């Protein structure tokens, strides 16, 4: 497993170099709109190709789930090991020159996250985690904040900008969460939001309608830093619902209670 993490770090750094080289060219990049408010650039594709090439070269029998190219099984048809990749999390930020974006790579084995890398090449911050062995930022061990509740807490979120079917419920959640907290932040890279929870920079985080590549690595970072990651109901079905709440134990518990009145219909789980 250590070898797998090392290869993932190498792949993330390679993608980071590609992204940084093109960062100042934002307005000149070729960009396509995949869907409403959902963009992909030539840099997303180049970063993904570099990551997939590195992983396929070392682990040809591993399955891959990547944002731009989708899912594929290993050469032998196996999907026991699955790499989950977001080659450029925060593409809209990237295209606008807003310096909050990252590369996210996670490894899932038989349904459990085992390895995680979230890399911010602009700040040279490398967040890593291995199941049962803790989370790190560069050479420093991470720990979630020990805040005892929402009072004075700094909470991260993501505003539904693609699928807005739950926008009304989300805005009610936002209004409820603003009460008592020190503030709400929406930086625009979910992978970094989870990493910041793991590092204690954010006390908690919630978002609706994510994709697995947005949170796979980040969820393991939070868990290995002593935090909790669940679905809106406080359960472990977040890979199915893609609605997540994360934080230290007490902040997470308080967030679940604060969000509870707004869980209905598709958000009940």
């Amino acid at each position: 497993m250590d070898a797998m993490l090392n290869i993932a770090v190498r792949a993330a750094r390679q993608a980071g170099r590609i992204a940084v080289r093109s960062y100042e060219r934002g307005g000149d990049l070729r960009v396509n709109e995949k869907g409403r408010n959902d963009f992909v650039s030539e840099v997303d594709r180049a970063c993904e190709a570099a990551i997939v090439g590195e992983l396929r070269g070392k682990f040809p029998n591993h399955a891959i789930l990547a944002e731009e190219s989708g899912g594929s099984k290993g050469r032998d048809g196996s999907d026991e090991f699955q790499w989950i990749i977001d080659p450029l999390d925060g593409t809209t930020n990237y295209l606008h020159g807003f310096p909050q974006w990252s590369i996210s790579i996670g490894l899932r084995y038989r349904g459990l996250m085992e390895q995680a890398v979230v890399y911010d090449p602009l700040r040279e911050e490398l967040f890593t985690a291995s199941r049962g062995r803790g989370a790190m930022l560069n050479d420093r061990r991470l720990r979630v904040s020990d805040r005892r509740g929402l009072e004075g807490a700094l909470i991260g979120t993501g505003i539904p900008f693609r699928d807005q079917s739950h926008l009304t419920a989300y805005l009610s959640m936002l209004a409820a969460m603003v009460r008592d907290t020190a503030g709400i932040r929406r930086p625009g890279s979910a992978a970094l939001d989870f990493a910041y929870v793991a590092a204690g920079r954010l006390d908690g985080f919630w978002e609706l309608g994510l994709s697995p590549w947005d949170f796979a690595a980040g969820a393991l970072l939070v868990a290995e830093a002593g935090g909790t990651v669940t679905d809106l109901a406080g359960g472990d079905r977040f890979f199915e619902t893609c609605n997540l709440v994360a934080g230290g134990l007490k902040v997470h518990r308080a967030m679940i209670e604060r969000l509870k009145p707004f869980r209905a219909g598709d958000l009940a789980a």
Side-chain angles (χ1 to χ4, degrees), residues 113-126:
M113 291 304 303
E114 293 289 341
Q115 305 290 348
V117 176
V118 174
Y119 180 45
D120 177 351
L122 291 181
R123 299 176 180 84
E124 277 296 333
E125 291 192 328
L126 179 70

Side-chain angles (χ1 to χ4, degrees), residues 160-231:
F161 65 97
R162 287 190 292 258
D163 178 2
Q164 298 184 358
S165 57
H166 296 304
L167 183 58
T168 299
Y170 170 79
L171 292 175
S172 297
M173 293 177 180
L174 180 63
M177 198 65 73
V178 165
R179 299 198 317 269
D180 305 324
T181 64
I184 309 295
R185 299 291 182 266
R186 198 278 189 207
S189 170
L192 279 180
D193 292 332
F194 283 102
Y196 283 14
V197 172
R201 297 173 181 175
L202 290 171
D203 296 297
F205 172 80
W206 94 100
E207 187 164 355
L208 310 179
L210 288 169
S211 297
W213 45 79
D214 296 318
F215 63 78
L220 182 61
L221 284 171
V222 173
E224 288 298 321
T228 303
V229 182
T230 69
D231 54 37

Side-chain angles (χ1 to χ4, degrees), residues 15 34 44 47-48 51 65-68 83-91 102-106 117 119 162 189-191 211-215 217:
K34 296 186 290 184
D44 294 76
C47 289
E48 183 166 298
I51 294 168
L65 175 63
E67 180 175 11
E68 308 309 336
W83 292 97
I84 305 177
I85 302 162
D86 193 335
L88 185 55
D89 185 52
T91 296
S102 61
I103 291 108
S104 177
I105 303 173
V117 176
Y119 180 45
R162 287 190 292 258
S189 170
S211 297
W213 45 79
D214 296 318
F215 63 78

